[in-house]
Amino acid sequence: MCLWCLSESTTAFLPFQTTILAVKFNGGVIIGSDSRASMGGSYVSSKTINKLIQVHDRIFCCIAGSLADAQAVTKMAKFQLSFHSIQMESPPLVKAAASVMKELCYSNKEELQAGFITAGWDRKKGPQVYTVSLGGMLLSQPFTIGGSGSTYIYGYVDAKYKPDMSREECLQFATNALALAIGRDNVSGGVVHLVVITEDGVEHVVIPGDKLPKFHDE
Amino acid sequence: MALSYVFETPVSGFNFENSTRNAGLESLLGDTKVKAPRPLKTGTTIAGVVYKDGVVLGADTRATSSEVVADKMCAKIHYIAPNIYCCGAGTAADTEKTTELLSSNLTIFSMNSGRNPRLTMAANILQDMLFRYRGQIGANLILGGVDCTGNHLYTVGPYGDMDKVPYLAMGSGDLAAMGILEDRFKPNMGIEDAKVLVRDAIHAGIMSDLGSGNNIDICVITKEGVDYIRPYQESEFKDKRQRKYKYKPGTTPVLVENVIRLEVDLVEETIQKMETA
């Protein structure tokens, strides 16, 4: 079977083969993902794909689903937010960013196959986390997980999440959650990308696969 | 369907008239030996590698139409700009036209803005166009080049997904080629190592994939310029033609000659003066 026969594939990447999450802490948000892109569940087409896309200075989006659709939507959202912030003469609210994604997902729900987690910091409400699902539902939550790997860590995040964590606690929480999901989900893997967004700025933390915390693995 | 001499303003989107006609023709022919011709796919191995001073792109040269090799010396590394070249896998016509369209647009852009095109712009234009056509354009592209921001290698898929990578292989022979690349790629290689690595990757694709074969083309792009080596390596299985197949005029004897005059009547004559003042 030729991998490049168009009649075989409907989307370039099968939906939601990933693990993504976003968590609010005291003073900011942490948004994170794995870095594996798979094709047909058996071939890793990229070990280092970037799923954390910056749509504005303090707002990031995590993508799940078809890579082509997600990249197109985030490009459109980036443009709209940039235009919006010029018109308003101030940085956009995280809710505005999430609404832009929701509009695009809902209006084109027949053609698109992508879901997003939008997280960031703004002056009005501080750190926020929103999830925009496949069909265009918008929800605000203190933390959220998504992708196929998320099913394995619902128990962990429900038990271990505390509101108002410190930055270090939250980093540890997010790293552990992603490590556990990668450990159990075959379509999540690679490195762990984390982005810490606070009022002062944006910090990328990359943890290679072999430096992840181990849980009874040996 | 419009009459051929009436000029119609082009309707946006794809025109699927021919595909309905083809489907009708195929059903008419039924199960006889005659089948509609398949689109020419390039069943390919293409690869690209970023090295210390630039980018090396490589490709095989076989174009197949089902089981027949349609073109033994097909050029799969397309010119985009003086500093940007693109390897294409997938449907031959789609990769050809997409890269030509991109090249024209970038030339107009550089004339208008007075700036040399950048890789990231080329990749974005491709991504926008391929996403708009929702995968109907079967073009898997590896874009490589050197611009003022450095040496870059981008990949764009038929659905419009884009990734920036240090090395990549695409096409039906990509699994074999990726094996070679994954094993031996190192960042900041020298030019000879990079050329040999790409050559070995394409060779692996040619050996392990039926859709790839014949010669290997290599294109080295650096800040100074482009070295398009075609072919870099000729196939060791090349056949030598046994004799000449061109025939001199007069080889076929003329037996009978019959001239029939067609009687044509002049019906109407109009003169339109051209303003040449």
Side-chain angles (χ1 to χ4, degrees):
Chain A
M1 185 198 85
C2 175
L3 270 177
W4 308 103
C5 293
L6 284 180
S7 53
E8 247 86 350
S9 65
T10 45
T11 49
F13 295 84
L14 285 177
F16 302 112
Q17 315 287 53
T18 183
T19 310
I20 51 178
L21 55 70
V23 193
K24 229 185 337 188
F25 67 89
N26 193 0
V29 288
I30 291 187
I31 186 166
S33 76
D34 70 311
S35 69
R36 178 173 290 185
S38 62
M39 189 131 51
S42 61
Y43 176 61
V44 177
S45 46
S46 177
K47 299 178 282 195
T48 53
I49 202 95
N50 176 29
K51 301 184 201 180
L52 299 177
I53 300 183
Q54 184 165 23
V55 292
H56 203 80
D57 293 345
R58 297 279 185 281
I59 308 175
F60 271 72
C61 265
C62 230
I63 57 181
S66 159
L67 188 64
D69 290 346
Q71 283 182 344
V73 170
T74 46
K75 262 174 124 175
M76 178 73 106
K78 216 169 167 174
F79 159 73
Q80 286 190 4
L81 281 176
S82 155
F83 191 65
H84 173 72
S85 72
I86 290 176
Q87 282 187 321
M88 302 290 277
E89 293 187 3
S90 86
L93 299 178
V94 186
K95 178 131 198 239
S99 295
V100 163
M101 315 288 290
K102 177 228 23 179
E103 264 318 304
L104 290 167
C105 287
Y106 184 73
S107 316
N108 300 299
K109 64 158 75 167
E110 267 82 50
E111 283 96 20
L112 292 175
Q113 232 175 355
F116 303 89
I117 293 180
T118 309
W121 182 94
D122 64 45
R123 191 170 297 279
K124 187 168 171 192
K125 283 207 201 154
Q128 294 147 77
V129 170
Y130 292 89
T131 167
V132 178
S133 74
L134 193 66
M137 171 186 79
L138 174 63
L139 270 187
S140 169
Q141 294 173 312
F143 71 91
T144 186
I145 53 179
S148 59
S150 66
T151 50
Y152 304 102
I153 50 172
Y154 271 107
Y156 176 78
V157 297
D158 283 340
K160 288 290 185 181
Y161 174 75
K162 297 189 312 278
D164 279 334
M165 283 189 275
S166 73
R167 184 181 174 282
E168 279 61 39
E169 281 178 326
C170 193
L171 260 175
Q172 191 59 52
F173 171 74
T175 312
N176 285 350
L178 283 167
L180 285 166
I182 286 172
R184 286 290 182 180
D185 185 23
N186 68 322
V187 286
S188 301
V191 306
V192 161
H193 283 295
L194 294 169
V195 172
V196 185
I197 309 168
T198 57
E199 177 178 3
D200 304 316
V202 161
E203 188 200 334
H204 286 268
V205 179
V206 175
I207 305 170
D210 52 355
K211 304 274 192 307
L212 286 174
K214 294 200 191 311
F215 299 92
H216 315 293
D217 275 349
E218 277 80 21
Chain B
M1 199 158 74
L3 296 167
S4 54
Y5 55 80
V6 173
F7 180 72
E8 270 188 344
T9 46
V11 183
S12 60
F14 269 137
N15 180 348
F16 284 104
E17 275 175 14
N18 278 345
S19 54
T20 41
R21 175 203 74 177
N22 287 348
L25 277 175
E26 265 199 352
S27 64
L28 209 64
L29 294 167
D31 287 319
T32 55
K33 309 176 257 350
V34 182
K35 275 207 131 57
R38 309 263 78 216
L40 180 68
K41 294 190 88 137
T42 53
T44 291
T45 309
I46 51 176
V49 151
V50 176
Y51 76 99
K52 184 168 57 145
D53 304 318
V55 173
V56 179
L57 297 172
D60 72 305
T61 60
R62 175 179 288 183
T64 51
S65 182
S66 301
E67 320 81 35
V68 179
V69 175
D71 192 350
K72 289 185 279 199
M73 195 57 180
C74 149
K76 300 186 191 179
I77 306 183
H78 309 279
Y79 166 87
I80 304 282
N83 57 330
I84 306 175
Y85 275 72
C86 180
C87 300
T91 311
D94 289 345
T95 57
E96 190 68 48
K97 279 303 160 190
T98 307
T99 46
E100 274 179 17
L101 209 59
L102 176 66
S103 172
S104 307
N105 281 337
L106 284 182
T107 313
I108 293 176
F109 162 79
S110 13
M111 282 195 231
N112 279 338
S113 65
R115 289 168 116 178
N116 280 334
R118 296 187 189 184
L119 257 298
T120 179
M121 178 179 185
N124 275 310
I125 293 176
L126 276 175
Q127 179 180 41
D128 284 342
M129 181 188 154
L130 291 174
F131 180 76
R132 200 170 2 120
Y133 283 106
R134 310 194 54 78
Q136 299 295 324
I137 295 185
N140 287 286
L141 305 164
I142 296 185
L143 259 176
V146 177
D147 59 30
C148 56
T149 54
N151 320 323
H152 305 290
L153 193 70
Y154 282 87
T155 169
V156 187
Y159 287 89
D161 50 283
M162 176 178 76
D163 198 10
K164 183 171 181 322
V165 282
Y167 62 91
L168 191 69
M170 279 262 195
S172 52
D174 68 339
L175 290 177
M178 269 310 252
I180 304 285
L181 290 174
E182 289 280 10
D183 188 34
R184 285 164 35 192
F185 174 81
K186 284 180 218 355
N188 290 324
M189 278 188 290
I191 180 170
E192 285 311 316
D193 286 338
K195 274 166 48 179
V196 165
L197 178 61
V198 173
R199 180 246 149 229
D200 286 346
I202 305 291
H203 186 72
I206 287 175
M207 287 294 133
S208 314
D209 175 44
L210 298 176
S212 311
N214 300 95
N215 309 327
I216 300 178
D217 288 346
I218 294 263
C219 183
V220 183
I221 310 169
T222 55
K223 210 160 30 131
E224 284 77 48
V226 173
D227 189 13
Y228 192 164
I229 312 166
R230 180 171 150 78
Y232 179 74
Q233 183 188 289
E234 294 212 322
S235 160
E236 54 255 31
F237 305 103
K238 212 158 89 120
D239 214 349
K240 214 166 139 35
R241 290 235 159 93
Q242 300 300 317
R243 56 183 64 138
K244 283 192 185 317
Y245 293 98
K246 268 186 137 45
Y247 296 97
K248 288 197 302 291
T251 311
T252 313
V254 178
L255 298 177
V256 174
E257 191 172 323
N258 197 356
V259 176
I260 303 171
R261 285 195 74 89
L262 280 176
E263 292 300 326
V264 197
D265 291 327
L266 179 61
V267 174
E268 190 187 327
E269 188 177 342
T270 56
I271 299 174
Q272 189 173 24
K273 269 191 167 337
M274 195 164 69
E275 292 296 327
T276 51

